[in-house]
Amino acid sequence: MTFKKLLATCLSFIMVAGGLSLAFASSNNEYVPVFAEEHAHNLVTFNEWTSTDSLPANGAYYLANDVTISSTWKPANDTKLCLNGHGIRMTGSGSVIESPANGYLQILDCDKSTEHKYTFDETGLAVVDDSLTGDYETFIGGYITGGNATTGGGVLVATPGKSQTSQLYMLDVTVIGNHASGNGGGIGYNYGSKARSIISLTDCSIIGNVADGIGGGVFHQANQRFMDLSGNTVITKNISGSGCAGVYEQSGLYISHNVFLYGNTLKDGTPSDLYIGHGSGGQPDKLILDGDLESSSRIGIQYLRLETIYDYYNHCSEDPNNIFISNVNNRFFTKNGDTNNVIYNNLTKTDCSCDYDGDEHTGDLSLADDSIDYEIKYGTKEGANIH
């Protein structure tokens, strides 16, 4: 074996072990290494998908082009898809994607530079169109759009059987411009008896989706398990007809890092960002800080069933009123005694009075005087005592 052939053999072993593919061009018995980086995530190699009108049934693939489909993509368990800066657009009826029941689906994007344009129609639904000129907004990377279903316009998390779990994991994906005639304009999951589901969104954007029912952004009516929002996840400009427009969660919600869950509204314009309601089957139905929360986070609260944000002060030193913003008048956030939890308080005419500048004020104080309202919410300025 010549030295160059021996070198080629050694390089081949080193590069393949290191996650890069290696080919050799031969000319006059001379071997020249040609390097090509593999498309891989978490040590899994993703193969190229070149079709523009279909998606893979299973496996791990990355898109080479935008894909337009006319029926719902229903991949098999453990399918992984990297959008690679491209979009999946539905032109027919139904959800764009339906995750496998009692299975695992991972959708991610690794493109950090491809810009896409969108605007809004008269209903508030986002419309993605890269040919737009004039007034438009932009986002970066791969996206899911055009769904029009009863539940889960963009992504429907399939309901598994009893004691089974459906799992959806999304990373760096934008779900935009999807509609549900029922619940879950962007992402939706329907309750199943003793069935479980997990939705995990990291660095995702859920923008401009509409539900005629509940949950313009995300509707998760789970019997057990939870939803997790982390990284730089943004959920904004979603609209619903009732219930909650941003995220409707009927199980446990875990939040960390730099989440922006704000600016969602009902169809009548009422602010409506997060609703954590009552469920069954032993799920925690709590809002829990699962990691450090950055001061730039903004989370609107419409309703918390247990009135508590758990483990707040272990992960954030910021005044909770600077991060969590009530969608409802006369509600604010205070520390729960000596614990690390925060209580979502409700002021009423019967439980609040205030000594301000030596004068006793009672009743609906927030409507009486802006300065008194400030004292009620924060209770820190000299001269105010909250009872």
Side-chain angles (χ1 to χ4, degrees):
M1 180 182 290
T2 66
F3 173 75
K4 288 186 177 180
K5 288 184 179 180
L6 177 62
L7 176 62
T9 301
C10 293
L11 281 172
S12 177
F13 173 80
I14 292 170
M15 298 306 293
V16 170
L20 300 177
S21 62
L22 179 64
F24 293 92
S26 176
S27 176
N28 298 323
N29 294 321
E30 299 293 331
Y31 287 80
V32 180
V34 179
F35 303 100
E37 186 174 358
E38 288 183 348
H39 195 115
H41 300 281
N42 295 327
L43 302 181
V44 176
T45 298
F46 283 56
N47 299 307
E48 185 179 42
W49 185 263
T50 59
S51 173
T52 60
D53 60 5
S54 68
L55 290 165
N58 53 52
Y61 288 88
Y62 69 93
L63 299 184
N65 304 288
D66 291 343
V67 175
T68 300
I69 55 177
S70 58
S71 60
T72 301
W73 179 48
K74 300 178 180 181
N77 179 37
D78 201 26
T79 298
K80 301 175 178 65
L81 181 67
C82 175
L83 302 183
N84 195 33
H86 297 289
I88 302 175
R89 184 184 298 270
M90 166 65 85
T91 58
S93 61
S95 305
V96 183
I97 299 169
E98 181 178 327
S99 73
N102 192 35
Y104 169 97
L105 174 63
Q106 182 181 19
I107 306 174
L108 60 131
D109 186 78
C110 60
D111 185 281
K112 305 297 182 184
S113 60
T114 302
E115 183 179 86
H116 300 288
K117 302 174 183 179
Y118 70 98
T119 186
F120 294 92
D121 69 12
E122 65 279 1
T123 69
L125 185 73
V127 178
V128 180
D129 183 353
D130 288 340
S131 68
L132 286 170
T133 59
D135 293 332
Y136 58 82
E137 299 184 44
T138 63
F139 64 92
I140 300 296
Y143 61 93
I144 297 165
T145 194
N148 189 8
T150 302
T151 302
V155 182
L156 173 64
V157 180
T159 304
K162 181 179 179 180
S163 300
Q164 296 179 336
T165 304
S166 293
Q167 302 175 63
L168 172 67
Y169 294 88
M170 300 180 70
L171 172 65
D172 272 318
V173 174
T174 297
V175 180
I176 183 170
N178 300 281
H179 173 257
S181 59
N183 305 322
I187 300 172
Y189 170 84
N190 270 338
Y191 171 86
S193 178
K194 296 188 177 179
R196 300 173 293 212
S197 71
I198 296 171
I199 297 176
S200 178
L201 306 178
T202 302
D203 294 331
C204 291
S205 296
I206 314 296
I207 303 173
N209 303 282
V210 176
D212 296 339
I214 304 171
V218 182
F219 177 84
H220 190 218
Q221 189 180 26
N223 179 69
Q224 294 182 18
R225 296 301 185 256
F226 59 88
M227 180 162 62
D228 178 80
L229 305 177
S230 63
N232 295 307
T233 291
V234 174
I235 302 176
T236 191
K237 299 179 182 178
N238 300 286
I239 296 173
S240 71
S242 62
C244 183
V247 172
Y248 180 91
E249 172 61 50
Q250 205 172 72
S251 187
L253 177 62
Y254 294 81
I255 290 180
S256 60
H257 303 107
N258 188 29
V259 172
F260 188 91
L261 172 48
Y262 194 64
N264 305 280
T265 62
L266 301 180
K267 288 187 176 182
D268 64 5
T270 301
S272 177
D273 294 304
L274 173 62
Y275 186 109
I276 298 183
H278 173 69
S280 60
Q283 74 274 29
D285 45 35
K286 297 177 181 178
L287 175 57
I288 304 169
L289 263 64
D290 193 38
D292 291 343
L293 193 65
E294 298 180 18
S295 60
S296 55
S297 298
R298 293 293 179 272
I299 300 164
I301 303 291
Q302 179 178 336
Y303 176 78
L304 295 179
R305 174 180 172 255
L306 299 181
E307 305 288 341
T308 304
I309 301 169
Y310 289 85
D311 215 22
Y312 179 86
Y313 285 99
N314 272 339
H315 298 291
C316 189
S317 60
E318 187 79 15
D319 182 339
N321 291 280
N322 294 337
I323 292 178
F324 295 96
I325 302 168
S326 179
N327 294 150
V328 183
N329 291 332
N330 303 332
R331 297 185 73 104
F332 61 102
F333 304 89
T334 57
K335 187 170 184 179
N336 185 14
D338 295 328
T339 72
N340 288 306
N341 301 333
V342 169
I343 295 294
Y344 185 36
N345 292 291
N346 184 18
L347 290 179
T348 68
K349 293 182 178 181
T350 59
D351 66 9
C352 179
S353 63
C354 177
D355 291 331
Y356 182 70
D357 290 340
D359 295 324
E360 180 76 11
H361 299 268
T362 60
D364 194 354
L365 301 179
S366 65
L367 300 180
D369 187 290
D370 288 343
S371 62
I372 294 176
D373 177 50
Y374 179 88
E375 309 304 334
I376 292 171
K377 286 183 177 178
Y378 299 100
T380 58
K381 191 174 181 180
E382 184 179 358
N385 293 311
I386 308 303
H387 304 305

